[in-house]
């Protein structure tokens, strides 16, 4: 069974991606967002850890007047620590389930 060109349209791909991530998030968002931790406190701690790994020091002066954009923010586990480092943060995600939890 082949894939038709209509299955590869941006709208069709976006709908498939949204459906798949909504399914994952509604089943077990902690598994998909943060190493499969068992509770939200652990998920936020993993977000803090990962933000430090990615960003380094939160004391970067340039970030205090900057805006951060995270594409694929999920439930916002990296946005929470980013809010202490950046003047403004913006998160975007294809999953309506993830945004609702955020």
């Amino acid at each position: 069974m082949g894939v038709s060109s209509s299955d590869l349209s941006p709208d069709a791909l976006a709908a498939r991606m949204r459906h798949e991530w909504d399914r994952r998030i509604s089943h077990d968002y902690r598994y998909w967002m943060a190493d499969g931790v068992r509770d939200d406190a652990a998920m936020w701690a993993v977000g803090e850890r990962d933000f430090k790994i990615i960003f380094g020091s939160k004391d970067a002066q340039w970030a205090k007047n900057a805006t951060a954009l995270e594409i694929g923010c999920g439930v916002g586990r990296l946005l929470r620590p980013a809010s202490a480092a950046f003047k403004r943060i913006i998160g975007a995600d294809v999953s309506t389930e993830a945004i609702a939890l955020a």
Side-chain angles (χ1 to χ4, degrees):
M1 177 180 237
V3 175
S4 72
S5 61
S6 64
D7 291 336
L8 299 177
S9 74
D11 290 340
L13 289 173
R16 287 173 57 190
M17 183 180 286
R18 180 175 298 109
H19 173 75
E20 180 59 24
W21 276 106
D22 281 347
R23 182 187 66 76
R24 291 176 185 190
I25 298 301
S26 64
H27 175 256
D28 186 354
Y29 66 93
R30 289 183 206 99
Y31 176 82
W32 296 102
M33 299 288 113
D35 301 340
V37 297
R38 294 184 183 207
D39 59 45
D40 284 352
M43 181 186 69
W44 297 122
V46 169
E48 183 77 30
R49 177 204 70 194
D50 291 350
F51 180 77
K52 287 177 183 176
I53 291 168
I54 294 166
F55 185 68
S57 171
K58 281 200 223 178
D59 298 325
Q61 290 302 312
W62 64 268
K64 303 244 184 263
N65 292 314
T67 299
L69 169 63
E70 183 182 359
I71 299 171
C73 68
V75 298
R77 71 184 184 89
L78 296 176
L79 292 177
R80 185 179 277 187
S83 68
F86 289 89
K87 180 177 183 177
R88 183 172 180 226
I89 57 170
I90 300 168
D93 201 284
V94 68
S95 170
T96 54
E97 293 289 327
I99 296 299
L101 284 169

